[in-house]
């Protein structure tokens, strides 16, 4: 049901499923870290800068996310890849990947991510998975964040209905 709901939200907002998933992940990170600005790696070759405050509408964030992903895919050169912008104050390197079943996801621990979110299409559903550095984040914290991410996705679906 979540996959179909996210697909409906994406279609209704002229965005990709990946953009919806990434924008919701960005909202989650902004809330749980209390950071308004951060950079998320979207392998294989782009870092997307987010600047989110309490007044930002989700539709605006989604449009910016879609633009950043289009630039990553080489369709538009406007996404920021400002490597000079600081990551979270904790130096937590963040990553996100959305893949189809059977497509490999980068090895997040090998690449040095503090937190990496992978969403994979799997057997007609979406499988959410966080990989994290246990020296930077506790297992309970990461499990809570994963639960919140699921709730945020459900909230976006309900809000669009």
């Amino acid at each position: 049901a979540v996959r179909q709901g996210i697909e409906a939200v994406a279609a209704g907002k002229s965005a990709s499923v990946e953009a919806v998933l990434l924008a919701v992940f960005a909202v989650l990170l902004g809330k749980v870290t209390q950071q308004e600005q951060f950079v998320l790696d979207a392998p294989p070759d782009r870092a997307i800068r987010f600047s989110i405050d309490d007044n930002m509408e989700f539709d605006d964030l989604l449009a910016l996310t879609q633009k950043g992903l289009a630039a990553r895919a080489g369709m538009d050169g406007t996404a920021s890849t400002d490597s000079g912008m600081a990551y979270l104050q904790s130096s937590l390197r963040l990553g996100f990947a959305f893949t189809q079943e059977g497509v490999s996801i980068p090895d997040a621990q090998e690449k040095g991510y503090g937190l990496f979110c992978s969403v994979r299409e799997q057997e007609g559903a979406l499988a959410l998975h966080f990989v994290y550095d246990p020296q930077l984040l506790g297992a309970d914290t990461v499990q809570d964040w994963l639960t919140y991410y699921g709730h945020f996705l459900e909230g976006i679906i309900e809000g669009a209905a």
Side-chain angles (χ1 to χ4, degrees):
V2 172
R3 178 182 175 184
Q4 291 79 11
I6 295 298
E7 288 171 347
V9 169
K13 303 204 180 278
S14 300
S16 68
V17 169
E18 180 179 21
V20 173
L21 293 166
L22 178 54
V24 172
F25 184 56
V27 170
L28 168 73
L29 289 172
K31 295 289 184 192
V32 299
T33 64
Q34 299 180 348
Q35 298 289 317
E36 290 186 354
Q37 297 184 346
F38 51 90
V39 175
L40 259 166
D41 287 349
D45 60 359
R46 186 68 75 188
I48 301 173
R49 179 175 39 161
F50 287 90
S51 182
I52 303 172
D53 63 38
D54 289 337
N55 298 319
M56 180 175 248
E57 294 291 327
F58 183 74
D59 287 355
D60 296 333
L61 175 62
L62 183 58
L64 291 171
T65 303
Q66 184 68 48
K67 193 174 194 179
L69 288 169
R72 182 190 72 165
M75 298 175 194
D76 177 347
T78 59
S80 173
T81 57
D82 181 5
S83 60
M85 183 178 174
Y87 287 94
L88 294 174
Q89 290 177 355
S90 64
S91 299
L92 189 66
R93 186 170 177 213
L94 304 166
F96 176 88
F98 173 64
T99 62
Q100 318 276 305
E101 195 167 357
V103 176
S104 66
I105 294 173
D107 185 337
Q109 289 179 324
E110 181 180 296
K111 301 279 186 187
Y113 288 101
L115 179 65
F116 192 93
C117 173
S118 66
V119 182
R120 182 183 302 249
E121 289 184 334
Q122 186 172 307
E123 299 176 11
L126 295 175
L128 309 176
H129 184 70
F130 284 0
V131 176
Y132 65 98
D133 182 339
Q135 294 181 1
L136 299 173
L137 295 169
D140 290 343
T141 297
V142 173
Q143 185 57 51
D144 287 347
W145 290 3
L146 186 58
T147 300
Y148 299 155
Y149 185 44
H151 292 315
F152 281 26
L153 290 171
E154 292 167 357
I156 290 297
I157 293 165
E158 290 173 16

